[in-house]
Amino acid sequence: MDHFSYKNGQMYAEDVALQDIASAVGTPVYVYSTATLVRHYTVFSEAFSGLDTLICFAVKANSNQAVLATLAQQGAGADVVSAGELERALRAGIPAEKIVFSGVGKKPYEMRAAITAGIKQFNVESEVELEALNAVAQEMDVIAPVSVRVNPDVDAKTHHKISTGKSENKFGIPWARTDEIYERIAALSHVSATGVDVHIGSQLTDLTPFRTAFEKVVGLVKNLRANGHDIRHIDLGGGLGIPYDPEAESPPSPIAYGAMIKEVLADLECSIIMEPGRLIAGNAGVLVSELLYDKKGENRRFYILDAAMNDLIRPAMYDAFHTIVPVKEPDNAAKITADFVGPVCESGDTFAKNRETSPLVPGDLVAFKSAGAYAAVMSFTYNSRELVPEVLVNGDKYAVVRKRQTLNDLIGLDSVPDWLKS
Ligand code: LLP
């Protein structure tokens, strides 16, 4: 459930009309709903009631300071994958002891920053990373807490670009080497193993791959404990999908997911860490864009928007579906079909092909739904397009929580060497 709906003929975010935000801030613009973020966080945490659970929001899904501060107020921790995300989480008020650091390529300076902050754990993804972390911890004279991310070789049955738990993926320690790496940790002086970590992919719409992976991990924890390792936490990653296209997809509810996890963990007596990203933020955001032109192609009709692939890459990158709705509630005019495209000079700059829609006229606004996760964070400035603003709504209030980039911000990063200056 989200808090974007029509009232008085207009699409609202909670109690604010998207049209009002667009008039004040311009388009394209991302708009997030506080009530939806809080609701998703609450529903997710309630699904784990009774278990000792730390919910670490995957910051990569949406790293805006206001979004993170909203979740911090709810008690969320953070899953970060870079020094940048670590800094964002800390600045937004997420306590270091609720932060886990994932990712296959942590640099020494990033490890140092995380140790200095005092994070809960490093999710280590390889033997070489483990040795590097041990060296950094030794230099700093501390013992770094680690969980090993294991690769259970399970097919998540999601888009191949967001599947991470198969042996051909770069993530995690190969299943056959898991015992060995825990022995290595025990032998190293400045790392200590406190947990096991797994994350098999994103936008999963079926519980079966999760169950298969989690059962393997529970077996591993028992085995490691039998071999004398003190495994206290189990980090089950993120990945639960959301209904981008409610008519085509019905992912399992957080309640069903939580119930499955409780059943699989049974009497394991581990605290658990969850790393949801999309489930918390995905349906808490929309991207509002204006129709620039209604172009008649030879056989197709192109609705050319002012948003482009650089603002929302998901359709171009994953063939992802985003519902596109008119901001002004449509009357009962007959539907037409059109391709929704952006102004960028790439054929891939296409949001939807042959999409059935109410007819629109230039100047009309549309909202891309489910644009709260992996949307603004993945934007870039191709074609020298400025990064677009982000707005957070809370009831009848709203605030610009990231201002629109200016051309000076953008071009000012370049410099011209002396030899080119006359
Ligand atoms: N934990 C780890 C270690 C991850 O790599 C990810 C996502 C998550 C948690 C959060 O997964 P979620 O609950 O959001 O599914 N850009 C892609 C998604 C990439 C996901 C990467 N890892 C997209 O737009 O679909």
Side-chain angles (χ1 to χ4, degrees):
M1 199 203 115
D2 63 48
H3 293 74
F4 298 94
S5 56
Y6 289 116
K7 287 186 234 177
N8 313 319
Q10 284 287 328
M11 172 70 72
Y12 274 66
E14 302 185 28
D15 298 324
V16 182
L18 294 180
Q19 175 68 64
D20 291 347
I21 295 175
S23 303
V25 180
T27 56
V29 55
Y30 278 100
V31 180
Y32 306 128
S33 151
T34 302
T36 313
L37 287 167
V38 171
R39 182 188 149 79
H40 290 170
Y41 183 81
T42 309
V43 167
F44 193 83
S45 41
E46 283 173 3
F48 292 90
S49 63
L51 288 180
D52 176 5
T53 312
L54 173 62
I55 298 175
C56 292
F57 175 65
V59 172
K60 62 172 81 67
N62 189 320
S63 58
N64 185 284
Q65 289 291 278
V67 168
L68 296 183
T70 302
L71 295 173
Q73 270 187 6
Q74 300 302 307
D79 165 43
V80 303
V81 293
S82 66
E85 286 192 355
L86 171 65
E87 186 65 24
R88 281 182 176 272
L90 292 169
R91 285 196 200 185
I94 296 178
E97 63 273 14
K98 290 188 180 175
I99 299 180
V100 299
F101 194 168
S102 304
V104 296
K106 303 173 191 80
K107 295 176 90 166
Y109 90 90
E110 297 182 299
M111 294 172 175
R112 260 179 239 119
I115 290 175
T116 305
I119 65 160
K120 183 175 178 67
Q121 74 183 31
F122 287 88
N123 288 340
V124 165
E125 303 231 12
S126 63
E127 290 90 342
V128 278
E129 182 195 335
L130 180 67
E131 303 288 337
L133 179 60
N134 185 65
V136 169
Q138 180 157 27
E139 187 191 289
M140 296 176 76
D141 199 19
V142 295
I143 297 194
V146 304
S147 274
V148 175
R149 177 164 174 187
V150 294
N151 184 322
D153 195 19
V154 169
D155 185 352
K157 302 215 162 43
T158 181
H159 191 280
H160 70 98
K161 285 189 184 154
I162 51 176
S163 181
T164 55
K166 286 285 287 167
S167 60
E168 68 255 31
N169 301 128
K170 70 179 175 183
F171 300 97
I173 297 278
W175 193 256
R177 295 216 300 274
T178 48
D179 286 347
E180 225 175 278
I181 192 164
Y182 279 91
E183 291 309 320
R184 183 70 189 133
I185 295 172
L188 286 170
S189 54
H190 287 78
V191 283
S192 102
T194 57
V196 177
D197 168 43
V198 69
H199 170 80
I200 59 171
S202 197
Q203 186 55 16
L204 273 72
T205 52
D206 180 5
L207 288 184
T208 312
F210 281 127
R211 179 186 280 275
T212 311
F214 297 166
E215 282 172 350
K216 285 184 90 164
V217 168
V218 167
L220 174 67
V221 170
K222 289 182 177 158
N223 191 35
L224 289 170
R225 283 181 175 166
N227 291 335
H229 301 285
D230 181 20
I231 304 298
R232 281 164 279 150
H233 318 298
I234 172 162
D235 180 337
L236 298 176
L240 187 58
I242 61 169
Y244 280 95
D245 181 358
E247 280 161 32
E249 288 163 319
S250 52
S253 68
I255 302 284
Y257 177 65
M260 178 274 287
I261 288 174
K262 286 180 188 168
E263 191 193 320
V264 173
L265 296 186
D267 53 358
L268 193 65
E269 291 192 7
C270 253
S271 74
I272 63 167
I273 298 170
M274 301 302 305
E275 301 172 353
R278 192 187 316 262
L279 190 98
I280 305 292
N283 285 334
V286 297
L287 171 64
V288 181
S289 174
E290 182 182 319
L291 178 67
L292 298 176
Y293 299 110
D294 174 4
K295 172 175 170 172
K296 312 278 183 315
E298 192 163 29
N299 309 308
R300 316 176 76 89
R301 182 165 185 178
F302 298 102
Y303 276 168
I304 302 177
L305 303 176
D306 67 352
M309 64 191 290
N310 68 298
D311 305 309
L312 177 67
I313 188 73
R314 301 194 69 260
M317 190 152 170
Y318 314 109
D319 298 316
F321 179 97
H322 283 264
T323 301
I324 304 170
V325 293
V327 164
K328 186 160 146 269
E329 189 167 14
D331 54 24
N332 40 22
K335 298 262 168 73
I336 55 120
T337 56
D339 289 6
F340 286 84
V341 302
V344 159
C345 303
E346 301 262 350
S347 295
D349 186 21
T350 296
F351 293 117
K353 282 196 162 149
N354 279 324
R355 182 69 64 86
E356 188 169 272
T357 172
S358 309
L360 300 167
V361 293
D364 281 353
L365 301 179
V366 294
F368 287 83
K369 301 208 65 187
S370 313
Y374 306 113
V377 278
M378 293 182 76
S379 57
F380 52 104
T381 58
Y382 186 40
N383 281 201
S384 289
R385 292 168 51 86
E386 310 95 306
L387 294 177
V388 308
E390 293 172 275
V391 164
L392 180 66
V393 171
N394 185 2
D396 60 2
K397 298 192 290 281
Y398 75 87
V400 176
V401 294
R402 184 174 75 185
K403 57 184 197 272
R404 190 182 301 280
Q405 198 175 36
T406 65
L407 285 179
N408 275 339
D409 297 334
L410 185 62
I411 303 168
L413 290 173
D414 298 5
S415 55
V416 175
D418 288 345
W419 71 82
L420 289 172
K421 293 180 185 153
S422 48

